Amino acid sequence: MSFWSGQQYQSPGGFDPQLPRTLFLLLLSVASARGVTQNPKDCVAFQSEKGSSISCHPPAELPSSLPADTFHLVLELFNLTQLPPDILKGASKLQELHLSSNRLESLAAEFLLPAPQLRVLDLTRNALTRLPPGLFQASAALETVVLKENQLEVLEASWLHGLKALGFLDLSGNRLRKLPAGLLANFTLLRTLDLGGNQLETLPPDLLRGPLRLQRLHLEGNRLQVLGKELLEPQPDLRYLFLNDNKLAKVAAGAFRGLRQLDMLDLSNNSLASVPEGLWAPLAQPGRDMQDGFDISGNPWICDQKLNDLYRWLEATKDKMFSQNATRCAGPEAVKGQTLLAVAGSQ
Ligand SMILES: *[C@@H]1O[C@H](CO)[C@@H](O)[C@H](O)[C@H]1NC(C)=O
Ligand SMILES: *[C@@H]1O[C@H](CO)[C@@H](O)[C@H](O)[C@H]1NC(C)=O
Ligand SMILES: *[C@@H]1O[C@H](CO)[C@@H](O)[C@H](O)[C@H]1NC(C)=O
Ligand SMILES: *[C@@H]1O[C@H](CO)[C@@H](O)[C@H](O)[C@H]1NC(C)=O
């Protein structure tokens, strides 16, 4: 949904991939305003009290070695299918590594060993189909892992072993069909999980056991048909829940039972004709009033008395409801085409 797209990286403790580049362009324009000329074959380097920040984009050449104080490295848009071995050699202070928009097909298991202080790894838009087991064996400080828009069809729990500080995991835009049970069991600090835009038909019911305080869950754009009652239960602090653009036809009665803090719920563009009584009761409690809104549009609602509970809830929370005009009844015949709110108001 467009009204909150782009918020994806704005979560607390999240990660904004645009920021370093914006900063870099700003600094670059300051540099050129001062008449500093730049050889296009060179990477751009900046010094700060934190160390060296190195940015390389074509037509620059890849650096053959890095300053020992490099804390931020960008190697983007090179279409590399392999990274040069030893590319991180000597960069023991490295904290952020941005490798997006290459064509990396695989990574060496030893690749991250020289950079034990790494906090951010961005591999957006590459061609990875797997990760080598052991990749993160020295990555205990790594907080943000972005694997968005790669070609992962499966993910094995062992590929992520070694991550101890993981707070943000983005696996969106891959081809994941299923996930292993226990995948997140060790990631107690995880705050944001993005699985949007994959091909998931089901999820292991225990998927969210492990993280202690998940805040943001993206499951939009998959093929989910059922939301069971166990999935969300371990995450009472969840604030943003994206389930839109799936094939959900069934939501279990207790599915939202444990949610005490939800600020935003997107169930739009699914196959919901009805929902069980009591589903909504835990949401929008006084004091926690779904402040960023909810969307249940684009579903084939059958507006009979089985939705009475939903009508009551809508009456109470309609000022938080998005896409009101697109939230319509598909039946029964007498009310077909009417908005749910109109039907709710006439009850
Ligand atoms: C990378 O590939 C794209 C698309 O084929 C092309 O437009 C671009 O020039 C390539 N970049 C380099 C550095 O080869
Ligand atoms: C959790 O971590 C332990 C110790 O590192 C490891 O043995 C176990 O396999 C991990 N579990 C999962 C599901 O990754
Ligand atoms: C609904 O979701 C499907 C599946 O993700 C998507 O292809 C389609 O564009 C969505 N339709 C609308 C109107 O958003
Ligand atoms: C509501 O949607 C209908 C079509 O579904 C459209 O004709 C109408 O203009 C919309 N009204 C508003 C206020 O957006």
Side-chain angles (χ1 to χ4, degrees):
M1 299 296 309
S2 56
F3 49 84
W4 49 58
S5 63
Q7 287 187 2
Q8 204 155 333
Y9 286 110
Q10 292 171 12
S11 57
F15 157 67
D16 181 352
Q18 299 304 324
L19 199 64
R21 182 131 12 126
T22 318
L23 190 66
F24 154 62
L25 288 172
L26 193 73
L27 293 169
L28 189 64
S29 61
V30 169
S32 50
R34 287 191 188 145
V36 178
T37 51
Q38 169 78 34
N39 181 343
K41 296 242 178 250
D42 291 341
C43 296
V44 178
F46 292 101
Q47 231 67 44
S48 74
E49 71 277 13
K50 286 171 82 179
S52 299
S53 169
I54 313 284
S55 263
C56 308
H57 296 93
E61 279 164 9
L62 293 178
S64 54
S65 67
L66 295 169
D69 69 347
T70 303
F71 76 98
H72 188 127
L73 176 62
V74 178
L75 303 175
E76 290 174 343
L77 296 160
F78 284 99
N79 300 344
L80 299 169
T81 54
Q82 296 286 330
L83 288 168
D86 295 340
I87 183 90
L88 300 183
K89 197 173 167 199
S92 62
K93 302 278 194 295
L94 195 65
Q95 294 192 14
E96 286 205 28
L97 178 56
H98 297 267
L99 294 168
S100 77
S101 303
N102 282 294
R103 289 183 190 158
L104 298 172
E105 288 162 6
S106 61
L107 299 169
E110 304 76 28
F111 161 52
L112 295 174
L113 290 182
Q117 296 182 30
L118 196 66
R119 292 194 302 110
V120 175
L121 174 62
D122 179 10
L123 286 158
T124 302
R125 253 170 269 121
N126 276 287
L128 297 168
T129 53
R130 54 182 290 111
L131 300 178
L135 177 65
F136 298 120
Q137 58 193 296
S139 299
L142 195 51
E143 293 165 10
T144 297
V145 174
V146 183
L147 287 160
K148 178 178 172 162
E149 291 172 46
N150 276 275
Q151 293 176 23
L152 302 171
E153 285 177 21
V154 292
L155 191 66
E156 287 176 24
S158 63
W159 297 354
L160 303 181
H161 282 178
L163 294 169
K164 294 196 163 46
L166 191 64
F168 186 107
L169 178 60
D170 186 346
L171 291 161
S172 63
N174 279 278
R175 299 173 183 176
L176 296 169
R177 288 174 183 278
K178 57 185 207 168
L179 296 172
L183 177 68
L184 306 175
N186 285 337
F187 303 136
T188 53
L189 301 176
L190 194 67
R191 296 295 179 105
T192 295
L193 174 62
D194 194 337
L195 291 165
N198 279 286
Q199 298 172 17
L200 297 165
E201 289 176 13
T202 57
L203 296 170
D206 71 349
L207 179 68
L208 302 182
R209 295 202 184 274
L212 298 177
R213 304 196 70 171
L214 196 66
Q215 293 193 346
R216 214 175 166 97
L217 177 60
H218 287 267
L219 290 169
E220 71 273 19
N222 280 287
R223 298 173 183 172
L224 302 173
Q225 295 168 29
V226 177
L227 181 64
K229 73 173 170 26
E230 294 98 355
L231 184 76
L232 300 172
E233 201 172 16
Q235 297 304 332
D237 294 326
L238 197 65
R239 295 183 55 197
Y240 297 90
L241 176 55
F242 297 85
L243 287 162
N244 45 297
D245 305 334
N246 276 285
K247 296 184 171 160
L248 289 174
K250 184 161 186 256
V251 178
F256 299 150
R257 191 176 39 187
L259 302 179
R260 294 189 309 240
Q261 308 267 355
L262 204 65
D263 284 335
M264 212 282 317
L265 171 64
D266 195 344
L267 275 169
S268 63
N269 190 20
N270 275 290
S271 303
L272 294 168
S274 199
V275 279
E277 196 166 337
L279 178 68
W280 311 97
L283 308 177
Q285 298 282 347
R288 295 299 317 176
D289 56 357
M290 194 72 103
Q291 55 185 333
D292 292 329
F294 67 96
D295 194 335
I296 58 170
S297 67
N299 282 285
W301 295 111
I302 299 298
C303 300
D304 57 17
Q305 75 282 2
K306 288 193 201 133
L307 290 188
N308 283 348
D309 187 45
L310 173 58
Y311 302 146
R312 278 193 295 276
W313 190 75
L314 288 182
E315 281 287 300
T317 53
K318 61 188 172 199
D319 55 324
K320 305 289 166 26
M321 181 178 178
F322 288 108
S323 313
Q324 296 184 357
N325 192 36
T327 310
R328 290 178 183 268
C329 307
E333 209 51 48
V335 292
K336 189 172 169 181
Q338 291 191 27
T339 66
L340 247 71
L341 274 184
V343 175
S346 69
Q347 293 296 299

